[in-house]
Amino acid sequence: DNLLGISWVDSSWIPILNNGSVLDYFSERSNPFYDRTCNNEVVKMQRMTLDHLNQMVGVEYILLHAQEPILFIIRKQQRQSPTQVVPLADYYIIAGVIYQAPDLGSVINSRVLTAVHGIQSAFEEAMSYCRYHPSKGYWWHFKDQEEREKTKPKAKKKEEPSSIFQRQRVDALLLDLRQKFPPRFVQQKPGEKPIPVDQIKKEPEPAPEAVKPEEKETVKNTQSAGAKGPPEKRMRLQ
């Protein structure tokens, strides 16, 4: 089990903690950091001194550093010979509270997780302020900006005068534009290539037919006769 997140304390031992009693305090059976199969437990049961630990092989606890009455450091190590040991774990006692010292891998892992968590939280908070609209694109919208806009007095918007485009009809404007800028190309039939207006041949207008003078006189006579009406009939004498 991971013991880095727990601690243990027995308040009855705190007033009498010193270099000679700190190992007895650490070897309490309720201490979760203490291994009861260690050589210290064997020496304690056989009522021998701690000097006999150097002649034994196995797990043992030693006092590594002491700064009475506040700090004590105890090391757990594997003894392989009287001159060769392998450190397994370190424990520090501060004001009577026992903690397990983390190893280098645990420290680096904790710092990396803390940094990654902070970066991830920063990205999530930044994404919460990001807004997008197809017509506007991306922009930032912060909460304090809303509060500032609420506190600011709202200024009355001046009514803008209507433009010419709003007052006149669209067709009138288009007609005006057509007169000012006549088209230069014309597409006579759909699908054909537009051609310049100058190249379009205009059909000649039919010339007035020449009327003979005799025909003109007959036309005039018929017109005058139509105007006067038919001649009167005379009575025949019997």
Side-chain angles (χ1 to χ4, degrees):
D1 297 336
N2 188 7
L3 303 178
L4 295 176
I6 64 174
S7 62
W8 181 82
V9 62
D10 188 353
S11 57
S12 61
W13 281 81
I14 294 176
I16 59 175
L17 280 180
N18 52 39
N19 295 348
S21 62
V22 66
L23 285 176
D24 296 332
Y25 173 59
F26 190 84
S27 62
E28 285 286 333
R29 291 186 176 274
S30 58
N31 182 12
F33 304 108
Y34 182 67
D35 186 4
R36 297 183 183 90
T37 62
C38 64
N39 294 338
N40 297 65
E41 193 71 14
V42 176
V43 170
K44 184 178 179 180
M45 291 176 63
Q46 294 180 2
R47 296 181 180 180
M48 295 186 296
T49 60
L50 295 177
D51 297 335
H52 290 82
L53 292 174
N54 297 333
Q55 307 300 325
M56 301 175 70
V57 177
V59 178
E60 64 183 22
Y61 294 91
I62 63 170
L63 180 61
L64 184 65
H65 177 76
Q67 186 178 347
E68 295 184 7
I70 190 69
L71 176 63
F72 301 94
I73 298 177
I74 296 176
R75 171 166 290 180
K76 179 182 181 180
Q77 59 188 13
Q78 177 75 31
R79 181 170 291 279
Q80 298 177 355
S81 67
T83 58
Q84 187 177 4
V85 293
V86 178
L88 299 178
D90 290 336
Y91 306 91
Y92 56 95
I93 305 173
I94 299 178
V97 184
I98 302 177
Y99 305 92
Q100 181 176 348
D103 56 309
L104 182 60
S106 300
V107 173
I108 294 175
N109 189 23
S110 176
R111 296 297 177 86
V112 171
L113 287 177
T114 303
V116 171
H117 177 71
I119 295 172
Q120 185 177 1
S121 301
F123 273 111
E124 291 177 356
E125 186 175 359
M127 287 299 297
S128 65
Y129 298 133
C130 181
R131 300 290 184 273
Y132 174 76
H133 193 272
S135 61
K136 297 180 181 179
Y138 290 94
W139 76 92
W140 297 105
H141 185 74
F142 299 100
K143 296 179 180 179
D144 55 351
Q145 185 177 359
E146 294 181 355
E147 296 178 355
R148 292 176 184 175
E149 291 178 356
K150 290 180 181 179
T151 55
K152 285 183 180 179
K154 294 182 179 179
K156 294 183 179 179
K157 294 183 179 180
K158 296 182 179 179
E159 295 183 357
E160 297 181 358
S162 59
S163 61
I164 299 176
F165 183 81
Q166 294 173 343
R167 293 194 298 267
Q168 295 181 357
R169 292 174 55 186
V170 179
D171 53 356
L173 292 176
L174 294 177
L175 181 61
D176 188 17
L177 290 174
R178 180 180 176 83
Q179 293 176 355
K180 291 181 180 179
F181 306 100
R184 297 182 180 181
F185 296 89
V186 176
Q187 187 178 14
Q188 295 181 350
K189 295 181 180 181
E192 293 184 354
K193 187 176 181 180
I195 59 175
V197 179
D198 302 337
Q199 296 181 5
I200 298 177
K201 296 181 180 180
K202 296 183 179 180
E203 296 180 357
E205 295 181 357
E209 297 181 357
V211 182
K212 295 180 179 180
E214 296 177 356
E215 294 178 355
K216 289 182 179 180
E217 290 179 357
T218 55
V219 170
K220 288 181 180 179
N221 293 333
T222 54
Q223 290 178 355
S224 58
K228 292 180 179 179
E232 296 180 358
K233 293 182 179 181
R234 296 182 181 180
M235 296 179 62
R236 291 182 180 182
L237 296 175
Q238 295 181 353

